[in-house]
Each structure stands twice: as structure tokens, then as C-alpha cells.
Amino acid sequence: PSSSRNSARDQNQVCIANTHLYSNKDFPDVKLWQTWQLLQELETFVLSRNLPLMICGDFNSTPDTAVYDLLSRSTVHPGHPDVNMNEEVSVLPDVRSLVHSFQLGSVYNTVMREEPEHTNFTVGFKGVLDYMWFSAQHLRPLSAAPIPNESVLTKHGEALPSTQFSSDHIMLISDMQ
């Protein structure tokens, strides 16, 4: 009886990690290192327990960055500009070490077939910085809330935050199975 209770309990568990990476656009290597460290810690915790995984947050990284590549492809190409910034001072190990064991999917890319046009909408920047990643072998996104278009976002001011939207980031929502 006790083993069946443990099995049932395990089926109802999920690991949800939330992060907010360094925001300075001039240091993509720092964001990449932070992402790699997070993934290493999650591997230690999640893989030994065979848990479904969601990683959500403000990655301060657009889809063309090495952070996005590491999350979506489990590796980074050695020629990526983000890993070849400043060879004198680098927080990164050899780029071939920047790998992880998860098969991650982006919720919005999976449901909508592309990342949204924006998840951050300020006067100085409009683009995608926020993501919801899921372990594809355990979870499946059933839906993703639509991202308001520019006319909706600028109805109460030229950018976010505004009286209608309390953050400069747009809330991401998904139903998962």
C-alpha cells in the first residue's frame, strides 16, 4: 500500500522554477552562465525524481541569443556571438560544456508556432524577454493566453507600465497537461 501511495503522489508533483536574469544587454555571457547554472541545479533535483518541469521568468534574452539556444536546443553553437564576446574576462566555461539533459519546449512557440511579438513593452525596448519552458517528455501546453497587441497596450499610455498594465512585462498564461 505505501508504494502505491508514493506512486500516486509522484504523479501529482511538478517542479516549477522561476527566474529573473541579469538585465544588462552588454553581458549576454553572464545571462548564459546564469541559465546554465540554473539548468545544472534543476538537473540534480528534477532528473533524479523524474519530475515534470516548468521554467518561467524574465530571461532578459531575445530569441536570437545563446540563452534561448541553450534552453531550446540543449546546447550553444561555438560560433554564437554571445559566447565570443570578451575572451580576456569570461564567466563561461568552454562552450562545449554548456549543455543540459532536458528536452525543453517554449509554451508560446509550441502553441502559437512562434514566440510572441513582445512580452516587454517599454519606450526603449519592445520585444520578447519572458518565456515559459516545459519538459516536453512530461508536459504538453493545451493553450496560451493571447498577448495584447500594440494598440491595446498603448491605449493608456505610450508604453508599459500603465494604468491598465501594472508591469512593463506582459503576463504569460498557459494551461498545461
Side-chain angles (χ1 to χ4, degrees):
S2 65
S3 64
S4 64
R5 274 191 303 227
N6 289 341
S7 297
R9 188 185 70 208
D10 291 344
Q11 291 175 353
N12 292 322
Q13 292 182 338
V14 61
C15 176
I16 301 174
N18 185 51
T19 190
H20 186 187
L21 300 185
Y22 187 55
S23 64
N24 191 321
K25 65 179 177 45
D26 295 330
F27 295 95
D29 56 332
V30 172
K31 292 181 256 196
L32 181 57
W33 182 83
Q34 289 176 314
T35 303
W36 179 61
Q37 289 294 302
L38 173 62
L39 289 164
Q40 285 188 310
E41 289 298 320
L42 288 170
E43 280 182 334
T44 301
F45 182 79
V46 171
L47 293 179
S48 65
R49 292 166 178 84
N50 195 30
L51 291 173
L53 173 66
M54 296 277 313
I55 308 173
C56 310
D58 179 356
F59 290 83
N60 276 307
S61 303
T62 56
D64 62 341
T65 62
V67 166
Y68 190 93
D69 284 355
L70 179 59
L71 289 160
S72 64
R73 296 192 289 189
S74 303
T75 188
V76 177
H77 189 280
H80 197 289
D82 290 353
V83 298
N84 296 303
M85 301 258 329
N86 184 351
E87 295 191 15
E88 288 179 24
V89 180
S90 178
V91 297
L92 296 174
D94 184 288
V95 69
R96 292 171 294 210
S97 301
L98 299 173
V99 297
H100 65 85
S101 303
F102 298 113
Q103 293 176 292
L104 297 175
S106 161
V107 167
Y108 277 79
N109 194 26
T110 300
V111 172
M112 308 293 196
R113 302 284 185 239
E114 63 184 0
E115 295 297 349
E117 189 174 325
H118 45 258
T119 63
N120 182 253
F121 198 88
T122 65
V123 172
F125 177 83
K126 293 167 183 63
V128 178
L129 299 176
D130 309 280
Y131 305 93
M132 297 171 68
W133 297 94
F134 65 97
S135 55
Q137 66 272 32
H138 294 106
L139 296 170
R140 176 172 71 100
L142 301 176
S143 65
I147 302 296
N149 65 31
E150 188 170 345
S151 65
V152 172
L153 296 175
T154 56
K155 188 174 183 176
H156 299 280
E158 66 180 315
L160 301 183
S162 68
T163 56
Q164 186 68 28
F165 296 93
S166 61
S167 174
D168 58 331
H169 295 266
I170 298 163
M171 185 173 14
L172 304 180
I173 304 170
S174 176
D175 289 314
M176 302 295 295
Q177 181 178 40

